[in-house]
Amino acid sequence: MDKVITISREFGCGGREVGIKLTEMLGVPFYDKDIISKSASEEISQSERELLKESYTPPFFENVIFSIDVFNQYQNPVDRMTFLKQAEVIRRLAADGVCVIVGRCAGSLLGNAAIKVFLYADVDFRLMRKQEQFPDVSERELKVRIQSIDHLRKSYYQQYTGSEWGARYDYDLCVNTARCGIDGTVETILTYLFPKGL
């Protein structure tokens, strides 16, 4: 296999955990938004930030789409610069060899150079996982968090790729982690990658 594995996921369905387990099975590097964002942020100079702030005028549709407070960060031209830098980082990581990348529109950015996986699950499963992770947070707050982050991911993806987040035709493989479980999802992906076995 010579393609990068990219994972897009609904919040709380276990995408990061699946990605880490895949890298352990395959012996390849793992990258997620924290690693990619940190690398990209370090590459943006202060002069680039200031220049972009002065010269950038957002198109009308961006003002409409991102009028809600939760999306205000995407009206900031610096965030657009960050996305472009993240895209550079992702392409560079992919050029270094096979790896697993979770999030950051990596599948769309890499096109045919990637195996694109989308992970999803029903809200009850995701809520259960988050309750285990955050036992002191109320069920209502967790549900709001799940819905908000899904909405944010969908808007982010559509804003920067022009495609529909989670639409099956944009992915090579879609897996319901509630049905398969985390380990079962890893096995499903491995079977897809290596139908004759590792």
Side-chain angles (χ1 to χ4, degrees):
M1 186 192 70
D2 59 355
K3 292 190 176 183
V4 172
I5 303 157
T6 63
I7 298 175
S8 186
R9 73 282 182 229
E10 292 182 332
F11 182 67
C13 74
R16 188 173 190 279
E17 190 177 344
V18 168
I20 290 172
K21 289 194 173 196
L22 268 177
T23 61
E24 291 170 352
M25 296 286 291
L26 297 172
V28 299
F30 170 84
Y31 304 106
D32 65 1
K33 66 180 178 68
D34 294 333
I35 297 168
I36 293 166
S37 296
K38 183 175 185 296
S39 297
S41 181
E42 289 171 353
E43 293 182 18
I44 300 175
S45 69
Q46 188 59 38
S47 60
E48 285 177 313
R49 292 176 195 273
E50 293 305 318
L51 180 63
L52 195 62
K53 280 181 182 177
E54 291 173 7
S55 63
Y56 180 78
T57 303
F60 173 76
F61 76 90
E62 287 185 354
N63 289 331
V64 173
I65 292 173
F66 299 110
S67 60
I68 303 172
D69 286 345
V70 72
F71 299 118
N72 279 347
Q73 59 179 303
Y74 294 105
Q75 290 182 317
N76 187 335
V78 175
D79 292 309
R80 181 173 289 274
M81 173 64 79
T82 299
F83 175 80
L84 295 174
K85 286 294 183 181
Q86 288 177 357
E88 288 179 18
V89 170
I90 287 168
R91 293 188 180 103
R92 190 163 62 241
L93 294 173
D96 288 341
V98 176
C99 59
V100 175
I101 303 177
V102 176
R104 302 294 91 180
C105 306
S108 182
L109 289 167
L110 297 176
N112 291 332
I115 299 292
K116 297 177 272 295
V117 177
F118 186 80
L119 303 181
Y120 65 98
D122 59 77
V123 173
D124 288 342
F125 176 79
R126 295 188 282 152
L127 180 60
M128 177 190 70
R129 284 178 51 82
K130 287 303 169 186
Q131 284 174 322
E132 291 173 357
Q133 190 177 358
F134 303 105
D136 297 330
V137 180
S138 73
E139 179 177 316
R140 181 181 175 281
E141 287 177 279
L142 289 173
K143 279 184 176 178
V144 169
R145 180 78 169 159
I146 288 168
Q147 292 170 347
S148 297
I149 293 180
D150 275 354
H151 194 71
L152 184 60
R153 285 178 179 173
K154 179 179 180 179
S155 298
Y156 180 88
Y157 188 86
Q158 291 178 189
Q159 165 72 1
Y160 288 114
T161 70
S163 298
E164 184 180 352
W165 181 71
R168 64 184 184 279
Y169 46 77
D170 268 349
Y171 302 92
D172 299 299
L173 180 67
C174 297
V175 184
N176 183 338
T177 60
R179 292 280 182 90
C180 296
I182 299 302
D183 290 336
T185 298
V186 173
E187 289 301 320
T188 299
I189 296 170
L190 289 174
T191 299
Y192 177 83
L193 296 173
F194 306 99
K196 296 181 180 179
L198 277 170

